[in-house]
Structure formats: structure tokens, C-alpha cells
Amino acid sequence: MHYSELGDSGVEVSEVGFGAWTVGTDWWGDRSDDDAIEMLQYAVEQGITYFDTGDVYGHGNSEELVGEALAEVRDEVTIATKVGYDFYDNPQAGHGELPKSIEPTYLRDAVDKSLERLGLDSIDILQLHNADVDEITPDVLELLDELEEEGLIDATGLALGPSIGWLAEGDLAIEEEFDSVQLVWNVLEQEVGNHFLETIERTGSSTSLIPRVPHSSGILNEQVTPETELDEGDHRGFRPDEWYETGWEKLEQLRFLERDGERTMGQASIAWLLSHEPVATVTPTFRTKADIDEWAAASDVPTLTDAEMTRVAELYETDFDIDRDDGMDALRSSVDGADIESAGLDKLAAD
């Protein structure tokens, strides 16, 4: 495992991180608390030191499990959480989005509650959870500075979503030199990541990027195949059938990234992201110990060559020469798609 600094924060993260949205929730299948704790601790044994949770995951349960599982290795790991959804006063309705409260008084209280659940004196990385661009006000930015000065947090980040896009938010975070921006980004969904690479280069910002969904909801790691029947509660079922059907065709054109005995497609998908300099860590969705074994090793597989990177870019530029709808032409954005349109993006996709 290799390790990187997040922005200019001095906070170290493993190149492959653990997205703890899979523990404390049932969106990716049920597991007991004991199983969740065992997975988190097993990840540490495989060199993973970056753990990314959020207060809304399981309404605090994910934070509690992360805190319990990592208590004995606290000095060896980096823990990030997210705040901004008001689940205290609003019931969860399926996978629907809860109301947000991105204002200083609420956020400070939410941080205090997260610290208690995690069992921490300070949070390594505090991320605003899917904040809209008009919610990231000067008062909110001032609060983040205050929390850092008080030693309650070490670094600041912005998690974008819930859908792919949100260019205005990411651009603002980069221009304000947040330490990290988390986004959906993978070989099959490149446009938003490419946009932020350009923003970082244009501004000279030190902001690091943290891609999630590196396997495009199971296509690139081949956990969702034409024979797969997703369980009713499986979060990946939100994507239309057309997405998977075109995705499987694209996957076959990416087989050149595999190297027998050296690099699986699942590892190559992570290695492709890590080939971009601003990417500090990638957070795949671990569901089993076997996932951890394979994907944690992605930090050490052969680096993609320039020729491989160029070929991936060429395939994406022509949409893999697939001339039909993938069912993902509705993109949600905080400014009604104006940021997408102004960036010249014509391929719309949803998380």
C-alpha cells in the first residue's frame, strides 16, 4: 500500500480507502455489527488507513461501528466523516434524500455528536455532505476555519452528490482550497473528474480528489453481470437496465487493462484513477474480505502505461463506438444543469 497527503493538510491517507457507507446501513446488503467491525479491522491489516463515513449512514450507526472497530489503532488511521443532513428531525424514507441543514449552528452541533459517536477528540477530515453551492456561505467557511483552529478537525472536504455533476460546488471547493473533493468518477464516467482536473490546473489549487464508485456500480469489477439479479435493497439497482447493457459492451473493450496474474480489471479501474496526480485515495465499495484483498492491492499493481491511458481516453471520447442510449440522460445538478451546460458536457449521468 502507498500513502498520500491530502491537499496541504499534512493528513495522510492510504491510496485505497474504505467507504464505510457499507457498514451501518443495508443499502449494499445486510451484515451484522460484528461482521462490519471484523471487515473494518481486516482492512487495517491489509494496509488501509483511510476510513470514510458519514453521520447520516445508519443515522449514526456507521460512525459508532467505525469508532469501535478502530479504537485500538486510532493513531494509525485517518478517519473522515460527513455532516449536513438533518436525520435527527426527519425519518429516512427508503433511499430518498433527507433534508439538509448547512448552517453554522447545526453543523457545529452535528460535529459534536459525530465526535461522541466516533469516540474521538478530533476528526481528521470533516466533509460537508452534498452541500449546494449557495449553501457554502462565508459563514460556513468561517465555521470550518474555527473548527480547525479549535483542534476539532484537521482537514476540510466536500462530498459531492447525491448524483454525478455538481460542478459549481466542486469548483468552489477547489478555489477555496478545501483539502479534498469527493466525487463519482470511474473509467465509464469520466467527464466530471476531467473537469475538476482542469479546475485544479487552472487555479493551482492543492485540493485532492477522492473518487468513489470506481467500479461503476459493479460493472468494472464484474460483480454485476448479465446473470446477476440484484436484491431489492441493493443500492446498485437504481441504475437502468440500459446502463448495464451498454456497460458490459464497454467492459469488453477495456480488457487490455488486465494483466494475467498482475492486474485484474477491478484493480486496473482503481489504478487508472490513481494515475491522476490530484487523486489522493480511492474509496471502493467493499462488501466482503475478498473485495478488500483484491482492491487494497491495487495500490501496488503495475502502473498504467501512457499508451493504456491514451487508449482509455480515446475510447471514452467516442463513447466506445456504442450508438444507443444508456438510459442515463437525466443529470441532477444544484443549479438545474447550468453548470453542466456551461462546461460543455453533453453526456449526462446520475449516481
Side-chain angles (χ1 to χ4, degrees), residues 200-270:
I200 288 171
E201 183 175 5
R202 172 176 55 80
T203 61
S205 174
S206 62
T207 301
S208 292
L209 299 177
I210 302 178
R212 71 177 192 273
V213 199
H215 296 126
S216 196
S217 297
I219 291 178
L220 294 169
N221 58 344
E222 299 184 80
Q223 287 190 350
V224 179
T225 70
E227 290 73 39
T228 302
E229 293 186 13
L230 295 173
D231 294 336
E232 184 176 347
D234 194 312
H235 187 55
R236 295 171 297 182
F238 73 88
R239 290 188 187 264
D241 291 343
E242 295 89 344
W243 169 258
Y244 286 108
E245 290 164 1
T246 56
W248 293 322
E249 293 181 40
K250 295 172 184 179
L251 172 65
E252 293 307 314
Q253 298 186 58
L254 291 166
R255 292 290 184 193
F256 68 91
L257 294 176
E258 294 177 307
R259 292 191 186 180
D260 188 29
E262 291 189 302
R263 192 169 66 198
T264 67
M265 181 60 70
Q267 291 170 335
S269 302
I270 294 172

Side-chain angles (χ1 to χ4, degrees), residues 19 30 42 52 66 109 120 123 138 142 209:
D30 288 322
Y42 185 75
D52 185 333
V66 168
D109 186 52
L120 301 178
I123 296 167
E142 183 178 351
L209 299 177

Side-chain angles (χ1 to χ4, degrees), residues 14-41:
S14 52
E15 285 193 337
V16 179
F18 191 117
W21 42 80
T22 58
V23 301
T25 73
D26 61 1
W27 288 18
W28 289 267
D30 288 322
R31 59 182 47 80
S32 69
D33 288 354
D34 287 343
D35 287 342
I37 289 171
E38 186 176 354
M39 278 189 64
L40 289 161
Q41 293 174 341

